[in-house]
Amino acid sequence: MGNINDYYPANGRVILHVDMNAFYCSVHEAEEPERYKGQPTAVAGSVELRKGVIVTCSYAARRLGIRTGMNVRQALKIYPDLILIQPNFHLYRKYSNAFMNIAYTYTPLMEATSIDECYLDITGSKQFGTPLEIAEEIQSRIREELSLPCSIGIAPNKLLAKMGSDMKKPNGISILRIRDVPRLLWGRPCGELFGIGSKTAEKLRKLSINTIGELAAADEQLLTRAFGVMGSWMKQAANGQDHSPVNADREQSKSIGHTTTLPADITSPEDVRRVLLNLSDQVARRLRRQELMAGGIQITLRTPDMKTITRSRQLGTPTENTDDIYREACLLYEKHWKQEKPLRLLGITLQQLCSRADSAVQLDLFDYEKQPRKESLTKVMDELRNKFGESAVLTAGMLGDDPSALIRNHKVRGTSLQMDFVRSAERKSEQE
């Protein structure tokens, strides 16, 4: 995609809108693929009585003519074998938190607008690549780690990012720039502009304004007389203009987790521990970024036949330390996974989170003199990753038997560069 500045004006913003596709149905398919994958499904209330409406339906069901908001009886007349699923909002929240945690790793400027969509301001995330590369990586991780499809819009503002995410579904990525608006949007009906409902569109039609292009060219005084201040907003929106910021105010996370689907199944405990170390490092860094401590830990193990088990334990003392998290994750793995059966996915979730400021950090009696230097080194290494990307600093335990391969996979140009980062961090921590 080239340099980010080639696609957006200087000092401009780059916004992503991540929109999960047929979210509720997709979650059930991810949980029970052997039962629901590729099937015409619909989530609806009062399934047993065949009452209520379709909350959402799979793309297989949509191809048969079934639509969200349709009465269940009507849907069953169209396709009697439609699989009806009772809503499970606990499960939806779990997957919602998981995909937003993935998105949050690329920028702290994230605004969740519903359980299945969010905006990301990635203007300051150039270390992760171009906007398209970031969108592709987020989409790929959500698909591989959660088995969920999503569409992503890339634009200089929230309005166009939202419009972009709707252009290609499912699993699409669309770039929508200001200069693309006349060509891509102006020929569409006004009702397709985000923020304009059917009643407003009908009122516009009575003013002989039928398309987004006609709305863009309409007299602003005419619009304000008919719609008040919303008239000015509609004209700006039709021209692709939107100055609303990504509101990054978030409630304190209830959990922080990360899972990874492995490129090949693994069986040896050594390989499992190496992956757990990598996961521990990632979740610990996100914990520190939010200035939180974890009081509990959970591991997730999934076999090639999609059987998933989770095991958890409460920690004696809240922690933010990678070593503590890794040690507890390994203990859980060794206790609950005796056999050397292959694994295709591993995950770590930190639970019982609390503010670092409100937590007493318990220091080891024989190690307390080293703790300030250890914390300073961790802080500097976090800063290096913020500046240069997640893989700027790797520990020896993550490298395995072929360090050069892992370094190549993580886009680090050789061991010397990595060691320079580590030495720099050590020198800075010693000075402090």
Side-chain angles (χ1 to χ4, degrees):
M1 188 176 176
N3 190 287
I4 189 174
N5 295 319
D6 295 337
Y7 289 82
Y8 299 101
N11 302 319
R13 296 182 299 161
V14 186
I15 309 298
L16 303 186
H17 182 257
V18 181
D19 190 3
M20 306 306 293
N21 303 146
F23 182 58
Y24 295 168
C25 288
S26 296
V27 165
H28 289 288
E29 186 172 315
E31 281 286 299
E32 301 180 82
E34 71 287 348
R35 187 176 181 183
Y36 298 126
K37 188 174 178 63
Q39 297 296 316
T41 62
V43 171
S46 302
V47 170
E48 295 82 2
L49 300 177
R50 301 296 192 263
K51 293 181 180 179
V53 297
I54 303 294
V55 177
T56 191
C57 54
S58 67
Y59 283 91
R62 295 179 194 191
R63 287 192 289 270
L64 297 169
I66 295 165
R67 296 287 178 267
T68 298
M70 182 178 287
N71 183 281
V72 170
R73 288 185 185 276
Q74 183 184 357
L76 290 172
K77 286 181 181 178
I78 294 173
Y79 188 71
D81 293 329
L82 178 67
I83 301 172
L84 295 170
I85 306 172
Q86 198 82 310
N88 184 337
F89 290 100
H90 173 75
L91 190 62
Y92 307 148
R93 283 191 291 269
K94 170 187 166 184
Y95 275 84
S96 177
N97 288 334
F99 95 77
M100 288 190 190
N101 280 333
I102 290 174
Y104 189 68
T105 60
Y106 296 87
T107 175
L109 299 177
M110 186 188 85
E111 177 184 349
T113 55
S114 70
I115 196 170
D116 62 346
E117 59 183 307
C118 64
Y119 291 102
L120 306 172
D121 187 331
I122 60 166
T123 309
S125 303
K126 297 179 185 179
Q127 70 269 29
F128 295 108
T130 65
L132 181 59
E133 289 171 340
I134 293 172
E136 288 175 338
E137 191 165 319
I138 291 173
Q139 186 184 67
S140 175
R141 284 186 58 188
I142 291 173
R143 180 175 60 248
E144 292 174 4
E145 296 174 24
L146 304 176
S147 299
L148 296 178
C150 71
S151 296
I152 301 179
I154 307 171
N157 59 52
K158 291 166 66 175
L159 170 73
L160 294 184
K162 170 65 176 175
M163 297 288 290
S165 67
D166 287 336
M167 286 181 167
K168 298 177 183 176
K169 289 187 175 183
N171 287 314
I173 295 178
S174 300
I175 301 171
L176 187 54
R177 311 171 185 88
I178 295 286
R179 64 176 181 264
D180 297 327
V181 169
R183 177 173 57 88
L184 297 177
L185 299 184
W186 279 3
R188 297 186 176 193
C190 290
E192 292 188 17
L193 183 64
F194 179 64
I196 294 183
S198 58
K199 291 184 179 179
T200 301
E202 178 60 33
K203 196 171 180 179
L204 284 168
R205 279 193 291 272
K206 291 178 180 178
L207 296 174
S208 298
I209 300 172
N210 298 297
T211 67
I212 296 174
E214 290 170 348
L215 178 58
D219 179 71
E220 188 167 343
Q221 290 185 349
L222 171 68
L223 294 173
T224 54
R225 281 198 301 269
F227 300 97
V229 292
M230 186 182 175
S232 296
W233 173 85
M234 288 193 296
K235 182 176 175 67
Q236 290 180 1
N239 282 284
Q241 298 172 8
D242 174 27
H243 304 292
S244 59
V246 171
N247 183 1
D249 293 336
R250 305 179 75 206
E251 293 183 8
Q252 180 172 303
S253 302
K254 294 181 180 179
S255 66
I256 289 177
H258 189 75
T259 61
T260 182
T261 301
L262 304 165
D265 297 341
I266 59 174
T267 55
S268 76
E270 292 78 15
D271 288 338
V272 172
R273 292 190 190 98
R274 191 170 297 123
V275 176
L276 290 176
L277 176 57
N278 200 330
L279 292 169
S280 300
D281 181 67
Q282 293 189 56
V283 294
R285 180 167 176 252
R286 287 166 55 197
L287 194 71
R288 293 190 294 270
R289 185 188 297 157
Q290 298 185 46
E291 298 183 353
L292 298 173
M293 306 282 281
I297 182 173
Q298 173 184 287
I299 64 168
T300 301
L301 308 172
R302 182 177 293 167
T303 58
D305 60 2
M306 302 302 289
K307 179 182 178 182
T308 302
I309 69 164
T310 57
R311 295 293 183 268
S312 60
R313 61 179 286 159
Q314 187 169 348
L315 305 179
T317 305
T319 186
E320 62 175 1
N321 186 273
T322 298
D323 294 341
D324 296 338
I325 294 167
Y326 173 62
R327 181 179 63 252
E328 297 294 337
C330 287
L331 288 173
L332 281 169
Y333 163 71
E334 290 161 6
K335 179 179 179 180
H336 297 288
W337 197 256
K338 302 292 186 184
Q339 67 261 29
E340 286 198 7
K341 290 180 63 177
L343 292 167
R344 75 181 300 267
L345 177 145
L346 290 166
I348 291 178
T349 301
L350 303 179
Q351 303 169 326
Q352 301 172 37
L353 305 186
C354 56
S355 168
R356 191 183 197 280
D358 298 334
S359 302
V361 181
Q362 182 173 314
L363 303 180
D364 190 298
L365 179 63
F366 301 103
D367 201 39
Y368 72 96
E369 291 181 346
K370 299 178 182 178
Q371 188 69 15
R373 182 177 181 273
K374 189 175 183 180
E375 289 182 356
S376 182
L377 177 59
T378 298
K379 179 181 178 181
V380 175
M381 292 174 75
D382 284 347
E383 290 174 354
L384 287 169
R385 284 169 164 161
N386 288 339
K387 184 174 182 180
F388 297 107
E390 292 294 328
S391 304
V393 183
L394 304 172
T395 68
M398 297 176 192
L399 297 175
D401 299 327
D402 185 4
S404 61
L406 187 110
I407 290 170
R408 286 194 304 273
N409 290 340
H410 284 73
K411 303 176 184 177
V412 179
R413 300 293 184 255
T415 311
S416 61
L417 179 61
Q418 175 207 352
M419 294 310 298
D420 285 344
F421 289 155
V422 175
R423 293 190 191 102
S424 172
E426 289 175 337
R427 284 196 298 271
K428 187 170 180 181
S429 67
E430 287 170 355
Q431 291 169 0
E432 295 177 348

